[in-house]
Amino acid sequence: MSQDSSHEDRAADPHRVVVIVDENSNPFELGCTTEVFGLRRPELGRDLYDFRLCSPEPHTLMRDAFFTLTGVAGLEAAESADTLIVPNRPDVEVPRRPIVLDAVRRAHKRGTRLVGLCSGAFTLAEAGVLDGRRATAHWQWVDAFRARFPSVRLEEDVLFVDDGDILTAAGSAAALDLGLHIVRRDHGAEVANSVSRRLVFTAHRDGGQRQFIERPVPDLPDESLAPILAWAQERLDSPLTVSDLAARASVSPATLHRRFRTQLSTTPLAWLTGERVSLACRLIERGETHLEVVARHSGLGTAANLRALMRRQTGLTPSAYRQRFGPGAPHQ
């Protein structure tokens, strides 16, 4: 995306995402943000975000001096961000630059949405914007984070935390999970699925899933959940139960439950409900207005059940979701 659009053109621009890159920043998370927020989307017929990088210095040495980043905007670009992604880096014990922390504080005061990926939670905490707030960080740094920032409500062993205007991810692949969650929050499930397909990445992993699995996924091909997941996704409108899934997989419900916990860090019922809510969202985005029809075709049964589960998983009622993401919504 262009790094030099004028301030006067902001009204016509998409939501502006700005990433602050600082000395020793991790390139992986930078790549994730570029893939999710920075690419043009000709398959959607529109760009989702106005994406730019900025840095306090004209030459920024990336992690362990692997390469130097040049040619990006100065730190003043952070002042016009709608979403600001803060620096992350492996040397969590080294204080962040005061100039960067000041930029984060100003953004928070303006109401800018803040995102910390991996050790970016340390940046947010140093800036003082996480006091009393929910956040997560990479499992390797949980103890160090708690010792330095006891006022932060740290949720360990989850992929990401959405606390409204401040979002944090555990790191590495969880940066993609949080990025897609933000796209889903901004543009709906259908657009998020399109972005995930281009990434060749799973469309939705709930933020509450565990960061890592203590036991490795079994190598035996007949224990893979992929076939049963694909089978179930084609039959979400049917009255599927956990027992049905177990029978299809030729295992007991207890064994199926164990495999879901091991491979997906969730339960069969929670996965099935999440898939159905996602389908319901897509049906609403495509223009279906009758809640009973949406509930029936998504397998959620009744309009009342649809309302309750959509509110629980998306924070929106079906009518509010339609106003925000349905045909003719302002973002379209």
Side-chain angles (χ1 to χ4, degrees):
M1 298 284 177
S2 171
Q3 295 279 334
D4 57 1
S5 1
S6 68
H7 183 79
E8 289 74 21
D9 291 336
R10 286 295 312 283
D13 287 343
H15 182 105
R16 178 168 292 177
V17 176
V18 178
V19 183
I20 301 179
V21 186
D22 202 4
E23 185 178 0
N24 213 25
S25 284
N26 288 320
F28 181 84
E29 285 79 5
L30 178 60
C32 290
T33 59
T34 303
E35 285 285 335
V36 174
F37 302 111
L39 299 188
R40 296 195 177 278
R41 303 289 174 187
E43 67 275 16
L44 296 176
R46 60 191 171 97
D47 293 334
L48 301 181
Y49 299 97
D50 175 7
F51 179 80
R52 58 195 59 204
L53 307 176
C54 71
S55 177
E57 304 290 344
H59 296 78
T60 303
L61 209 61
M62 299 295 290
R63 179 172 179 172
D64 297 330
F66 286 145
F67 57 87
T68 300
L69 185 68
T70 63
V72 301
L75 192 58
E76 64 276 4
E79 303 297 326
S80 61
D82 299 308
T83 292
L84 183 65
I85 302 176
V86 305
N88 68 317
R89 64 191 200 201
D91 49 344
V92 296
E93 72 285 351
V94 178
R96 270 54 174 171
R97 300 193 206 194
I99 190 174
V100 171
L101 298 180
D102 287 343
V104 173
R105 294 185 189 105
R106 288 194 301 272
H108 182 58
K109 189 174 181 179
R110 291 193 304 271
T112 300
R113 181 168 61 187
L114 301 177
V115 178
L117 305 175
C118 195
S119 57
F122 283 79
T123 304
L124 295 171
E126 282 189 52
V129 301
L130 279 182
D131 291 349
R133 302 289 297 266
R134 297 168 51 239
T136 192
H138 194 283
W139 60 269
Q140 287 183 313
W141 295 320
V142 164
D143 292 339
F145 189 95
R146 277 211 174 96
R148 288 182 59 187
F149 309 110
S151 62
V152 179
R153 295 162 53 195
L154 188 69
E155 298 185 9
E156 60 180 282
D157 200 18
V158 297
L159 292 178
F160 62 83
V161 168
D162 180 343
D163 200 38
D165 61 337
I166 302 181
L167 302 93
T168 49
S172 296
L176 287 174
D177 290 303
L178 180 54
L180 288 170
H181 171 78
I182 291 172
V183 173
R184 188 178 306 107
R185 206 174 96 168
D186 292 346
H187 299 281
E190 191 84 345
V191 170
N193 284 349
S194 175
V195 175
S196 71
R197 284 194 298 271
R198 184 162 167 181
L199 286 167
V200 196
F201 192 74
T202 182
H204 182 211
R205 289 199 300 170
D206 184 76
Q209 290 189 28
R210 298 180 62 192
Q211 291 182 24
F212 67 98
I213 300 169
E214 294 182 10
R215 291 191 303 148
V217 177
D219 291 329
L220 297 177
D222 62 353
E223 292 196 4
S224 170
L225 287 173
I228 190 63
L229 298 183
W231 178 83
Q233 285 169 332
E234 294 176 356
R235 295 164 176 81
L236 293 175
D237 59 339
S238 302
L240 293 177
T241 65
V242 174
S243 295
D244 294 330
L245 297 180
R248 178 69 184 182
S250 301
V251 298
S252 68
T255 297
L256 184 71
H257 191 280
R258 184 170 62 252
R259 290 183 183 176
F260 265 78
R261 280 293 188 189
T262 300
Q263 298 183 36
L264 299 180
S265 299
T266 189
T267 66
L269 182 58
W271 176 85
L272 193 57
T273 300
E275 291 296 310
R276 284 173 164 158
V277 171
S278 180
L279 175 56
C281 290
R282 296 197 300 274
L283 290 172
I284 292 172
E285 291 174 37
R286 293 169 187 171
E288 180 55 63
T289 59
H290 295 90
L291 295 190
E292 294 80 6
V293 175
V294 173
R296 184 171 66 252
H297 286 303
S298 62
L300 294 175
T302 66
N305 199 37
L306 170 66
R307 290 188 188 95
L309 290 172
M310 277 198 66
R311 182 182 284 276
R312 182 189 307 168
Q313 297 217 9
T314 70
L316 298 172
T317 64
S319 59
Y321 194 91
R322 182 183 301 112
Q323 290 174 358
R324 184 169 178 182
F325 299 118
H331 77 285
Q332 296 290 343

